[in-house]
Amino acid sequence: MAHFDASMTPEEIKAAKMKTVIKVTAILAAVTIVEFIFAFAWPDGSSRTILNILFLGMTFLKAGYIIMEFMHLGHETTLLKFVILFPMLFLVWLCVALFVEGQAIIDAFLNW
């Protein structure tokens, strides 16, 4: 999570690790608080599609940040990040396609 120097004492390493954990926790908590604010303050007459898109965006933001910090991908080369994260676009596309096709099949059976 944090980069350490060979000259650091064990206490300094522990403090650096704790600082990183607190920073990550604070960022994830802030995004979650924003999600709660949107969830409870969203007007009832408004389109829920915009709210759902916001939730998806914040979820991907949190997932990406967790991947970068806890899976140590943030400290890797750009090419390795691309090779790992690019296939996730296909997984998202697959999920959207399956939901759309599933709804089309349900609609076809209901109208049959």
Side-chain angles (χ1 to χ4, degrees):
M1 294 202 296
H3 291 292
F4 306 112
D5 196 350
S7 64
M8 294 176 76
T9 65
E11 293 82 22
E12 291 172 332
I13 292 174
K14 184 177 179 181
K17 285 182 181 180
M18 185 59 75
K19 181 180 175 185
T20 303
V21 168
I22 289 172
K23 181 184 103 177
V24 170
T25 303
I27 290 171
L28 293 175
V31 174
T32 303
I33 289 169
V34 170
E35 285 178 334
F36 270 94
I37 290 170
F38 277 127
F40 292 114
W42 195 260
D44 289 333
S46 304
S47 173
R48 305 269 313 166
T49 304
I50 296 170
L51 182 65
N52 291 339
I53 291 170
L54 286 171
F55 281 149
L56 279 173
M58 287 186 279
T59 300
F60 285 131
L61 179 73
K62 288 195 303 188
Y65 191 68
I66 289 169
I67 289 170
M68 292 298 170
E69 285 299 321
F70 291 116
M71 297 178 74
H72 307 288
L73 192 59
H75 307 293
E76 298 296 338
T77 63
T78 304
L79 182 61
L80 182 61
K81 289 178 195 178
F82 181 74
V83 167
I84 292 172
L85 295 177
F86 185 69
M88 289 195 53
L89 293 174
F90 291 112
L91 291 174
V92 170
W93 170 79
L94 175 66
C95 290
V96 169
L98 289 175
F99 281 123
V100 169
E101 288 297 319
Q103 188 62 47
I105 290 170
I106 290 171
D107 291 342
F109 277 121
L110 290 178
N111 294 328
W112 187 36

